[in-house]
């Protein structure tokens, strides 16, 4: 990682970004023919390109708060209250600390298996999680719908 001199006025510039379980390791590299200062400028440019491509990592709690705020205007008050209750009392205590891009279907299955609610309550919580998961994908925060096949 960094700048490696390959010969006179020839440098390999390599930048690595390891941000997030879902995205994995990303890297960019190039060969620069020129001075060391030009290689350093290329390194800054590559690092900036990786930063632009990096996702903002949000926990489910953080995203759910944003999501609910965006949706509240188009929902009936009773629906908003139900969502708030399901999120605050059931979903977020179990899944809220997980990053959106690291939640897996197995996490949701485990949550539902441990949920002590009735069958319909579990179905409604799963429906709420499905909408949140699909919106998280649409917002570019994750690549998978973490409720898929649950």
């Amino acid at each position: 990682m960094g700048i490696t001199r390959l010969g006179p006025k020839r440098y390999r510039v390599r930048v690595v970004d390891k941000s997030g379980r879902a995205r994995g390791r990303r890297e960019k590299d190039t060969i620069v023919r020129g001075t060391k200062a030009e290689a350093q400028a290329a390194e800054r440019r590559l690092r900036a390109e990786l930063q632009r491509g990096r996702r903002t990592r949000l926990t489910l709690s953080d995203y759910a708060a944003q999501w609910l705020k965006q949706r509240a205007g188009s929902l009936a008050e009773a629906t908003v209250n139900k969502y708030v209750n399901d999120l605050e009392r059931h979903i977020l205590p179990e899944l809220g600390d997980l990053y959106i891009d690291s939640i897996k279907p197995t996490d949701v299955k485990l949550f539902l298996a441990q949920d002590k609610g009735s069958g319909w309550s579990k179905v409604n919580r799963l429906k709420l999680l499905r909408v949140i998961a699909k919106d998280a994908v649409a917002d570019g925060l994750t690549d998978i719908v973490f409720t898929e096949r649950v």
Side-chain angles (χ1 to χ4, degrees), residues 25-66:
R25 178 184 168 114
R26 299 180 312 136
E27 62 182 74
K28 288 189 173 267
D29 68 80
T30 188
I31 303 295
V32 175
R33 296 181 200 303
T35 65
K36 185 166 185 176
E38 291 171 322
Q40 290 169 333
E43 182 182 33
R44 287 190 298 273
R45 180 181 48 79
L46 292 177
R47 196 171 305 282
E49 287 176 18
L50 283 179
Q51 289 292 329
R52 278 193 300 272
R54 183 187 291 173
R55 287 188 177 132
T56 301
R57 289 193 85 196
L58 294 175
T59 62
L60 180 59
S61 291
D62 295 335
Y63 183 68
Q66 288 179 8

Side-chain angles (χ1 to χ4, degrees), residues 2-3 10 15 20 39 51 59 66 74 87 102 126:
I3 300 173
R10 195 163 169 245
V15 179
Q51 289 292 329
T59 62
Q66 288 179 8
S74 63
L87 286 167
S102 69
L126 178 57

